[in-house]
Amino acid sequence: MTLKLATIACILASTAIADQEPVPMNYELFETAVAHTDLETCPLSLPQSGVFCRATLHHDEVHVFAFSKEGDQVLVGFASYPFEDVAIELN
């Protein structure tokens, strides 16, 4: 299962529990379930204020998750980038 599908499955599973409110993806759940690295700054395509970002590698893409610094630190943004594009920026 790809990382995108696993993330979507977690969100959908949390909404399938009868008689309960949906539980948004938060950093506590992400941190324990997904191997990742901390980013010093978030990419410009994601929110810039009051957030922190984490990145994962899967196949030929870098996936970046933005979480709110406030409250339960919920997921507020997500973006994927081809690894080739990231490698060019790093050179």
Side-chain angles (χ1 to χ4, degrees), residues 31-49:
E31 182 178 37
T32 59
V34 180
H36 62 278
T37 188
D38 300 356
L39 297 181
E40 190 172 311
T41 60
C42 294
L44 294 176
S45 62
L46 292 172
Q48 298 294 302
S49 179

Side-chain angles (χ1 to χ4, degrees), residues 3 7 25-32 34-43 46-47 51-57 61-69 73-81:
L3 180 59
T7 302
M25 171 71 83
N26 65 19
Y27 184 64
E28 181 180 14
L29 175 62
F30 177 86
E31 182 178 37
T32 59
V34 180
H36 62 278
T37 188
D38 300 356
L39 297 181
E40 190 172 311
T41 60
C42 294
L46 292 172
V51 299
F52 60 96
C53 286
R54 302 297 186 251
T56 65
L57 297 175
E61 292 184 314
V62 176
H63 305 284
V64 180
F65 299 80
F67 295 91
S68 172
K69 290 182 179 179
Q73 299 180 316
V74 295
L75 181 68
V76 295
F78 173 81
S80 294
Y81 307 93

Side-chain angles (χ1 to χ4, degrees), residues 1 20 27 58 75:
M1 183 181 300
Q20 292 187 5
Y27 184 64
H58 187 69
L75 181 68

